Amino acid sequence: MVSGLINANPTVYGKKERRVRSFIGNADEYAVEPIDQQEIFDHVRDIKDPEHPYSLEELKVITEDAIEVDDEHSYVRVTFTPTVEHCSMATVIGLCLRVKLMRSLPSRYKVDIRVAPGTHATEAAVNKQLNDKERVAAALENPNLVDMVDECLAPTYG
Amino acid sequence: MEFLEEANYQLKEIQTLQGHTDRVWSLAWDPSTGRDGVPPILASCSGDKTVRIWERNLSTRSWDCKAVLDETHTRTVRSCAWSPSGKLLATASFDATTAIWENTGGDYECVSTLEGHENEVKSVAWNASGSLLATCSRDKSVWIWEVMPGNEFECVSVLQGHAQDVKMVQWHPTMDVLFSCSYDNTIKVWWADDMDSDNWQCVQTIGESNNGHTSTVWALSFNANGDKMVSCSDDLTLKIWEADIKRMQSGDGYAPWRHLCTLSGYHDRTIFSVHWSREGIIASGAADDAVRLFVESKEALIDGPSYKMLLKKEKAHDMDVNSVQWSPGECPLLASTSDDGTIKIWELASTL
């Protein structure tokens, strides 16, 4: 089946330079280092867009500033910006973000994923679906959706 | 039962039940157990596609897994419910089926599979007499099944009306009135005018316009008399409702449920489960890993009944609490299930 792309010519932005996380001298190797904004961003920046050979970072779907993290309270909120207002891929992108963070973060973390206010036509519906864990669980038992998510999360890109 | 000072009570953990290999969605106490020397039994269901049956050993007081019901459901088992006699267990699965298991003296055999929903079945419930079963699904419908001889189940009604995913079905504890709550933020009440007929219809929709919830309604539960109901939601509130059930029981027709009060400001994340004990204690389980207990407050009767928090058990589990259920029997125990894969058994103890 040949179908038109939802956003045929997306704007591609440069990637942010990768910073090396600094380790201070010979500090206690057992010291717990809190999870910060940069670490979360590193987990999600290379997720591939479902329809383009670019990363979510290159399409500015995700920026470091759009990540809020409170390590003490084990809380993360990721706000993403779909490339177009009617992007039907918004829920897939959100699902990819959720799955990646589910696999990367300690289980104590509570993760909220949402569309940036005013950037999507059905913002409330997308947000509600992405944060209903029962629907997320059901979606992740759907082999076609899992294939799609795994492809976006494949480490070959980035 | 009177609850005086909040500080005088604590939830004491009796045991953590381990065995499931994925999140535990829900649990159900066998209503025929837990009294007259019969050891309490409960069933739990999980994302690992299995149901586990747990029994308390009366001499060691320890809970043991007596049976694992597997190789029937091919996807998550979301909900389970015992028939009033404890003879049958119904399990609802994301595989779009509901299975009926017969308890033959500790062995559980799948005796029937109910098919018809288009996709995930989210909840299953028996009516008080055990003659009717209700199921609901992501396909937005609620089905009523009649229990026929020989473990046959006949669909007598397919109820359409919800605009979205239906999360839970629950029968009234004494009357054949069915309640369903949904992702569409409403609670619907289903009623058959002539009790012998299969003419089920929606007689009330409790939504935002009549003090209802502003996001997904996940669960509801009734008090012992059945004249009050509590609902919980993604909008972070519990709501208490009241109806004139005497009028309904006398055959004068349907009496609508009225909003009594809203408990807001207590929960920080989605409330997935709520259960009202026969002693009048409302337990809630939420996505902030905590279990909270509420009781009616005797202080503010001028503005109508109000409810106060009796206690909050922080970090009851390591992850979201998906279900809380009080046991039947003389000394009620509370059981909770969680995304952390465990079930915990709690005792409400006085600290005095």
Side-chain angles (χ1 to χ4, degrees):
Chain A
M1 190 183 78
V2 182
S3 61
L5 293 173
I6 291 149
N7 180 6
N9 291 302
T11 314
V12 180
Y13 301 85
K15 292 187 198 180
K16 201 168 176 154
E17 198 182 315
R18 271 159 215 262
R19 285 167 296 180
V20 178
R21 288 166 64 84
S22 53
F23 293 96
I24 305 153
N26 281 334
D28 181 0
E29 61 180 303
Y30 296 108
V32 179
E33 197 180 344
I35 291 171
D36 60 15
Q37 205 181 24
Q38 189 195 340
E39 184 173 342
I40 307 278
F41 183 59
D42 284 343
H43 284 308
V44 298
R45 64 195 298 181
D46 292 330
I47 296 173
K48 189 187 112 25
D49 182 83
E51 62 171 19
H52 294 291
Y54 301 112
S55 68
L56 297 187
E57 179 187 12
E58 286 172 297
L59 298 175
K60 277 211 174 151
V61 172
I62 275 296
T63 63
E64 191 170 332
D65 294 341
I67 292 165
E68 292 160 67
V69 54
D70 180 346
D71 186 66
E72 193 192 335
H73 297 102
S74 306
Y75 179 72
V76 171
R77 180 155 80 176
V78 176
T79 305
F80 70 101
T81 306
T83 53
V84 283
E85 224 181 40
H86 294 276
C87 185
S88 61
M89 289 293 162
T91 48
V92 179
I93 293 170
L95 199 58
C96 289
L97 288 164
R98 182 165 286 290
V99 171
K100 187 69 208 286
L101 292 177
M102 221 156 70
R103 291 177 185 169
S104 317
L105 293 176
S107 61
R108 66 181 161 92
Y109 261 89
K110 305 291 180 189
V111 178
D112 286 338
I113 310 266
R114 59 166 198 176
V115 173
T119 65
H120 198 272
T122 57
E123 183 183 317
V126 172
N127 286 342
K128 191 170 182 181
Q129 202 172 338
L130 287 173
N131 293 297
D132 181 322
K133 74 171 185 183
E134 188 184 55
R135 290 176 72 133
V136 169
L140 294 177
E141 290 184 4
N142 174 339
N144 297 332
L145 255 176
V146 172
D147 283 352
M148 208 176 198
V149 168
D150 279 337
E151 204 185 312
C152 294
L153 300 186
T156 48
Y157 185 79
Chain B
M1 200 162 176
E2 193 86 32
F3 294 94
L4 301 166
E5 293 299 319
E6 284 96 282
N8 295 345
Y9 298 93
Q10 58 163 330
L11 266 184
K12 218 169 80 187
E13 186 182 324
I14 293 182
Q15 197 176 327
T16 299
L17 315 186
Q18 283 167 319
H20 282 296
T21 57
D22 200 314
R23 64 158 61 104
V24 188
W25 276 112
S26 184
L27 77 109
W29 293 90
D30 180 339
S32 67
T33 65
R35 59 173 82 82
D36 304 327
V38 180
I41 288 177
L42 66 86
S44 60
C45 59
S46 160
D48 68 11
K49 309 183 181 71
T50 74
V51 175
R52 282 175 175 257
I53 310 288
W54 310 83
E55 183 180 315
R56 190 177 203 183
N57 184 311
L58 286 179
S59 47
T60 65
R61 313 289 286 161
S62 162
W63 290 83
D64 303 307
C65 180
K66 303 302 273 190
V68 180
L69 282 48
D70 57 0
E71 289 172 1
T72 292
H73 287 301
T74 56
R75 289 180 60 185
T76 285
V77 188
R78 176 65 183 89
S79 158
C80 53
W82 296 92
S83 64
S85 67
K87 192 75 185 158
L88 299 174
L89 177 70
T91 57
S93 168
F94 283 2
D95 68 13
T97 71
T98 304
I100 308 292
W101 307 78
E102 189 173 355
N103 176 2
T104 52
D107 276 336
Y108 295 84
E109 190 192 343
C110 179
V111 292
S112 199
T113 306
L114 315 188
E115 291 172 7
H117 281 296
E118 279 169 37
N119 44 41
E120 295 93 342
V121 187
K122 299 287 177 78
S123 171
V124 58
W126 300 84
N127 71 340
S129 68
S131 61
L132 297 170
L133 188 74
T135 57
C136 65
S137 161
R138 188 164 69 89
D139 68 15
K140 306 172 190 170
S141 69
V142 173
W143 291 41
I144 297 179
W145 309 77
E146 195 175 329
V147 185
M148 312 294 279
N151 289 324
E152 294 286 324
F153 290 76
E154 191 189 329
C155 176
V156 292
S157 206
V158 174
L159 309 175
Q160 309 279 1
H162 279 297
Q164 294 282 351
D165 196 356
V166 190
K167 297 298 196 185
M168 191 205 214
V169 277
Q170 189 74 56
W171 291 91
H172 187 271
T174 60
M175 299 180 289
D176 281 342
V177 183
L178 181 65
F179 297 74
S180 58
C181 40
S182 166
Y183 187 86
D184 70 11
N185 309 350
T186 71
I187 299 165
K188 282 184 181 283
V189 190
W190 309 88
W191 160 280
D193 234 344
D194 172 2
M195 281 302 178
D196 291 327
S197 86
D198 297 328
N199 186 25
W200 290 87
Q201 38 190 301
C202 178
V203 283
Q204 190 179 2
T205 298
I206 302 170
E208 199 176 344
S209 60
N210 34 26
N211 283 318
H213 290 289
T214 57
S215 190
T216 304
V217 189
W218 280 96
L220 55 83
S221 176
F222 294 90
N223 68 345
N225 297 337
D227 61 348
K228 288 196 182 78
M229 139 179 117
V230 58
S231 56
C232 69
S233 165
D234 180 53
D235 70 9
L236 312 184
T237 70
L238 297 175
K239 284 176 184 279
I240 316 270
W241 309 87
E242 187 179 41
D244 184 355
I245 63 162
K246 284 202 181 75
R247 179 177 143 192
M248 284 187 260
Q249 282 161 340
S250 67
D252 282 350
Y254 182 72
W257 292 75
R258 293 182 311 271
H259 176 260
L260 212 55
C261 64
T262 297
L263 283 67
S264 56
Y266 292 106
H267 297 83
D268 309 316
R269 294 185 70 78
T270 307
I271 314 163
F272 291 119
S273 179
V274 67
H275 194 231
W276 208 324
S277 82
R278 279 169 312 158
E279 291 72 27
I281 312 167
I282 297 169
S284 73
D288 59 8
D289 310 347
V291 170
R292 294 168 180 80
L293 302 183
F294 299 87
V295 289
E296 194 174 327
S297 168
K298 302 288 174 202
E299 286 145 31
L301 278 172
I302 307 126
D303 308 320
S306 69
Y307 291 77
K308 62 178 180 184
M309 190 161 76
L310 187 67
L311 67 85
K312 175 182 178 185
K313 182 73 185 176
E314 305 250 21
K315 283 276 151 212
H317 282 273
D318 293 335
M319 294 171 74
D320 293 8
V321 180
N322 294 324
S323 180
V324 283
Q325 295 290 318
W326 294 100
S327 73
E330 299 96 3
C331 305
L333 298 169
L334 183 72
S336 58
T337 72
S338 165
D339 279 359
D340 68 16
T342 70
I343 300 128
K344 286 191 184 188
I345 311 287
W346 310 87
E347 189 177 63
L348 180 61
S350 165
T351 52
L352 292 177

